Amino acid sequence: MHKPVSLKELVGTQIIFAIMLVSCYWMWAGTDWQDWYPIWQFVLGGFLFVFFILLCLRMEKYKKEGVDELAERNLKRADSICLKIIVVTMTGIAWTCVIMGHIHNFDTAVIGWAIVLCILALAVIRTILFFLFDSTGL
């Protein structure tokens, strides 16, 4: 069975990495440590290891196949838009932290949550933008 590797597949997998990052941060930043967290971390780590190996194999296969130049250009456009989004978002988070830090005793876990959720949102936005650009053929 020869299944060609598409750039959509490789871009979409970034969401899985972001979800795993949020899951790990949820356990690490939580103040209610549960006995099952180490088991969940071990399962996530094993899944991440296997997933990463399979992704590397798929990426190697993608590089050997013919490159879709239009898809590559669409990915660069999506990345360019995402860069602008993340700069604005992180600047907003930084200013909010400074302002809230002077007014209240601001919890650093909130800052961490803002950053990790921004990474998750950015992975989803990047995938959606790429799919939109690639489906319209612009």
Side-chain angles (χ1 to χ4, degrees), residues 75-91:
L75 181 60
K76 286 181 182 179
R77 284 177 52 207
D79 286 344
S80 173
I81 292 169
C82 287
L83 175 64
K84 293 168 185 147
I85 291 171
I86 200 69
V87 166
V88 168
T89 306
M90 287 298 137
T91 303

Side-chain angles (χ1 to χ4, degrees), residues 2-137:
H2 175 70
K3 181 183 174 197
V5 181
S6 70
L7 194 56
K8 287 182 180 181
E9 173 187 343
L10 298 177
V11 170
T13 56
Q14 299 301 315
I15 295 173
I16 295 172
F17 285 121
I19 289 171
M20 286 194 275
L21 174 70
V22 170
S23 299
C24 287
Y25 187 79
W26 166 66
M27 286 183 280
W28 293 336
T31 57
D32 61 336
W33 185 260
Q34 303 292 327
D35 292 336
W36 55 271
Y37 282 1
I39 296 168
W40 182 242
Q41 286 176 340
F42 182 73
V43 168
L44 272 178
F47 177 75
L48 180 61
F49 179 75
V50 171
F51 185 76
F52 185 70
I53 295 297
L54 293 174
L55 181 63
C56 287
L57 293 173
R58 297 296 284 174
M59 288 176 74
E60 191 65 33
K61 187 176 178 183
Y62 175 76
K63 290 178 184 177
K64 289 181 182 177
E65 295 175 353
V67 177
D68 185 2
E69 293 177 11
L70 180 61
E72 294 279 344
R73 228 173 328 152
N74 288 334
L75 181 60
K76 286 181 182 179
R77 284 177 52 207
D79 286 344
S80 173
I81 292 169
C82 287
L83 175 64
K84 293 168 185 147
I85 291 171
I86 200 69
V87 166
V88 168
T89 306
M90 287 298 137
T91 303
I93 290 173
W95 280 104
T96 303
C97 292
V98 167
I99 292 168
M100 295 303 286
H102 288 295
I103 297 172
H104 303 289
N105 189 7
F106 203 55
D107 187 15
T108 55
V110 174
I111 300 166
W113 273 113
I115 292 170
V116 194
L117 291 176
C118 279
I119 292 171
L120 177 62
L122 190 67
V124 172
I125 291 169
R126 178 181 186 236
T127 303
I128 291 171
L129 283 174
F130 175 69
F131 277 47
L132 287 173
F133 292 157
D134 203 46
S135 67
T136 58

